[in-house]
């Protein structure tokens, strides 16, 4: 890559810029200072936030100065959605989530060394500001006719619900962030998602009006699958970066199950792998798709990035053990619980006959089918084949006293659980 903008474009991380030529020159003349904001709308960041962290990571590695802003004030207001008004969170809850997110971003950026990233909280400069100062010093630079043209605002104005002045003012608060960081740190670039373009331009316009200076914006595209559906949802729920909200095992499996048509795009976006490595993985997708080499590389890289090498090794061991290539008994309790949580199953106490257990967990629909499966040598418990249809699940077969993994055939798994 000849420069960082070329690399970001090759990786599919650039949707819009204010002036590509000027931004490319600014990078070349750098280092520049840039920021991205994260609102505490939940106790954890999610897949969509990860795209922005990856951009910041690339830019910091290229020598530029990174500011990670967590929105202690904007989080109290809420970015207007096109559909309906947000439910406001309490100040205490928002403050707690700010702290969690400030810690969560640390593994992705370098906060030590010669070019450390920094985190800031926009509540630090908005809380001391009076309403009159806000209206006189900041509000006077905004034009309502421009504000109502923002996509989310326009959609809400056409709806029956309308939009509150609170959410209408969100773009002013975000614009104030860029102005504050411009004045205090010389920040000249803001990054964000493509759907945030309207809020980002609020900041660049404010700096132009208040300071007479031009600054830069860069957005990332929406990451979608081959059918145009947004990535980042698993069983209808967001894929979170917090291990308590999306387990490392579920996180790993999400990437492992990515479709062939999307995996190369995701490797470019989310991993550090270069053109040669990705070209080879692309060849393997075309020539040997059954090996799922690209998906395995993506799952390993992503899980290591978010959860670390130790967690990745544990979930790999769990995945292999579940599918007959490892020892289920060697898994720690946490990994075992996470892995089997993804399986169908039922409460099946020790002392239950294997025929009843197979029916209860849904692996077969009748005892007759269970007998036939056992007779065919297709049933195992924790990897040990069961040949006796009179077999009774013993307490010792419940790993960590919690779960026994039943299998019918090669791919049909279920969990017999006991409290």
């Amino acid at each position: 890559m000849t420069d960082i903008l070329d690399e970001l474009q090759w990786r599919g991380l650039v949707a819009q810029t204010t002036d590509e030529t000027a931004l490319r020159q600014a990078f070349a003349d750098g280092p520049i200072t840039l920021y991205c904001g994260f609102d505490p709308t939940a106790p954890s960041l999610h897949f969509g936030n990860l795209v922005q962290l990856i951009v910041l990571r690339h830019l910091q590695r290229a020598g530029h100065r990174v500011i990670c802003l967590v929105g202690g004030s904007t989080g109290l207001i809420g970015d207007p959605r096109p559909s309906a008004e947000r439910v406001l969170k309490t100040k205490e809850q928002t403050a707690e989530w700010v702290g969690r997110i400030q810690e969560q971003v640390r593994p992705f950026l370098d906060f030590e060394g010669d070019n450390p990233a920094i985190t800031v909280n926009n509540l630090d400069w908005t809380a001391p500001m009076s309403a009159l100062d806000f209206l006189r010093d900041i509000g006077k630079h905004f034009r309502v006719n421009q504000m109502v043209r923002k996509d989310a605002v326009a959609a809400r104005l056409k709806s029956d619900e309308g939009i509150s002045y609170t959410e209408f003012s969100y773009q002013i608060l975000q614009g104030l962030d860029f102005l504050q960081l411009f004045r205090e740190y010389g920040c000249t670039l803001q990054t964000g998602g493509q759907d945030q373009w309207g809020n980002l331009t609020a900041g660049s316009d404010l700096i132009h009006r208040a300071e007479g200076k031009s600054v830069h914006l860069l957005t990332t595209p929406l990451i979608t699958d081959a059918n145009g559906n947004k990535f980042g949802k698993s069983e209808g729920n967001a894929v979170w970066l917090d291990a308590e909200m999306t387990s490392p095992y579920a996180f790993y499996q999400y990437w492992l199950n990515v479709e062939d048509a999307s995996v190369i795009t995701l490797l470019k976006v989310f991993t550090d792998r270069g053109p040669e490595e990705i070209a080879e993985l692309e060849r393997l997708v075309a020539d040997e798709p059954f090996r799922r080499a690209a998906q395995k590389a993506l799952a390993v890289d992503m899980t290591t990035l978010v959860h670390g090498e130790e967690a990745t090794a544990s979930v790999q061991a769990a995945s292999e053990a579940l599918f007959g290539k490892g020892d289920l008994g060697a898994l720690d309790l946490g990994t075992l619980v996470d892995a089997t949580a993804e399986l169908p199953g039922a409460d099946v106490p020790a002392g239950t006959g294997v025929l009843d257990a197979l029916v209860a967990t849904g692996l077969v629909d009748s005892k007759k089918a269970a007998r036939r499966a056992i007779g065919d040598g297709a049933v195992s418990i924790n990897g040990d084949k069961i040949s006796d249809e009179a077999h009774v699940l013993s307490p010792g077969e419940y790993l960590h006293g919690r779960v026994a993994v039943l299998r019918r055939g090669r791919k049909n798994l279920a969990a017999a659980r006991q409290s």
Side-chain angles (χ1 to χ4, degrees):
M1 304 300 171
T2 57
D3 62 22
I4 184 59
L5 192 55
D6 282 341
E7 177 165 3
L8 294 178
Q9 289 174 332
W10 175 77
R11 292 189 178 278
L13 285 167
V14 178
Q16 299 160 289
T17 62
T18 38
D19 184 333
E20 180 180 326
T21 301
L23 179 58
R24 189 180 297 275
Q25 188 61 52
F27 280 141
D29 294 340
I32 67 170
T33 300
L34 61 121
Y35 94 98
C36 184
F38 302 89
D39 274 352
T41 54
S44 170
L45 298 176
H46 54 75
F47 171 91
N49 304 126
L50 183 57
V51 179
Q52 304 312 316
L53 288 169
I54 293 292
V55 171
L56 296 184
R57 186 178 174 92
H58 282 299
L59 290 170
Q60 185 184 34
R61 287 176 170 179
H64 301 290
R65 297 183 291 265
V66 168
I67 300 172
C68 186
L69 182 148
V70 183
S73 64
T74 43
L76 289 169
I77 301 302
D79 184 12
R81 296 177 297 186
S83 54
E85 195 88 3
R86 291 181 183 272
V87 177
L88 297 180
K89 306 300 181 185
T90 66
K91 292 181 179 180
E92 293 75 18
Q93 186 177 58
T94 300
E96 178 190 345
W97 290 356
V98 165
R100 290 180 61 140
I101 291 172
Q102 284 176 327
E103 287 302 311
Q104 199 170 50
V105 301
R106 298 193 72 83
F108 300 95
L109 302 169
D110 182 4
F111 287 86
E112 308 293 337
D114 297 332
N115 182 32
I118 64 171
T119 59
V120 295
N121 181 350
N122 56 18
L123 191 64
D124 292 340
W125 54 82
T126 53
M129 183 179 291
S130 72
L132 284 175
D133 288 340
F134 178 70
L135 292 172
R136 283 176 55 86
D137 298 338
I138 306 301
K140 69 179 181 180
H141 295 294
F142 285 80
R143 298 295 175 263
V144 172
N145 58 323
Q146 292 181 330
M147 295 174 69
V148 299
R149 289 202 293 265
K150 308 295 184 185
D151 290 344
V153 174
R156 289 280 291 281
L157 287 173
K158 293 177 182 177
S159 70
D160 292 337
E161 183 174 348
I163 186 169
S164 70
Y165 181 75
T166 299
E167 288 197 359
F168 182 65
S169 302
Y170 180 91
Q171 59 186 281
I172 304 179
L173 286 175
Q174 185 163 330
L176 172 59
D177 290 343
F178 202 173
L179 178 62
Q180 173 69 24
L181 297 179
F182 174 83
R183 288 172 170 171
E184 185 172 349
Y185 297 100
C187 180
T188 56
L189 170 64
Q190 182 182 5
T191 67
Q194 187 173 10
D195 58 346
Q196 287 289 306
W197 183 255
N199 288 328
L200 270 61
T201 56
S204 60
D205 290 346
L206 175 59
I207 291 172
H208 183 73
R209 292 193 181 104
E211 300 290 333
K213 302 290 186 181
S214 294
V215 290
H216 306 284
L217 304 174
L218 183 152
T219 65
T220 57
L222 186 66
I223 309 299
T224 61
D225 63 19
N227 296 318
N229 300 314
K230 288 173 64 175
F231 272 106
K233 300 284 185 180
S234 179
E235 303 299 325
N237 299 313
V239 176
W240 301 99
L241 306 191
D242 189 306
E244 295 181 1
M245 297 176 68
T246 298
S247 72
Y249 182 84
F251 190 85
Y252 178 86
Q253 290 295 322
Y254 178 81
W255 301 107
L256 194 62
N257 291 320
V258 164
E259 60 186 354
D260 288 348
S262 300
V263 67
I264 298 303
T265 294
L266 295 174
L267 281 164
K268 288 181 179 180
V269 168
F270 289 108
T271 77
D272 290 335
R273 294 176 186 261
E276 291 184 3
E277 283 184 284
I278 290 180
E280 174 60 16
L281 289 169
E282 189 169 17
R283 183 192 67 78
L284 291 172
V285 169
D287 296 347
E288 304 176 46
F290 59 92
R291 297 188 185 279
R292 300 189 70 76
Q295 283 87 345
K296 290 176 182 177
L298 178 65
V300 168
D301 287 5
M302 292 294 291
T303 310
T304 302
L305 174 65
V306 174
H307 297 293
E309 293 182 357
E310 185 175 342
T312 303
S314 294
V315 299
Q316 283 182 291
S319 185
E320 291 177 359
L322 280 176
F323 293 97
K325 298 180 181 179
D327 180 10
L328 280 166
L331 302 180
D332 64 85
L333 176 59
T335 303
L336 176 71
V337 169
D338 289 341
T340 55
E342 305 297 312
L343 300 178
D347 291 331
V348 179
T352 301
V354 67
L355 299 179
D356 289 325
L358 289 168
V359 173
T361 56
L363 284 177
V364 296
D365 56 13
S366 67
K367 287 187 177 182
K368 180 179 180 180
R371 291 189 182 94
R372 185 164 57 249
I374 291 172
D376 291 341
V379 174
S380 66
I381 299 176
N382 301 332
D384 297 325
K385 186 172 290 188
I386 302 299
S387 57
D388 182 3
E389 64 183 49
H391 181 87
V392 172
L393 272 68
S394 69
E397 287 178 304
Y398 288 80
L399 304 173
H400 296 282
R402 299 277 293 276
V403 61
V405 178
L406 278 61
R407 180 194 306 273
R408 178 180 63 82
R410 292 184 60 187
K411 297 182 178 180
N412 298 303
L413 299 171
R417 303 182 179 94
Q418 70 171 5
S419 302

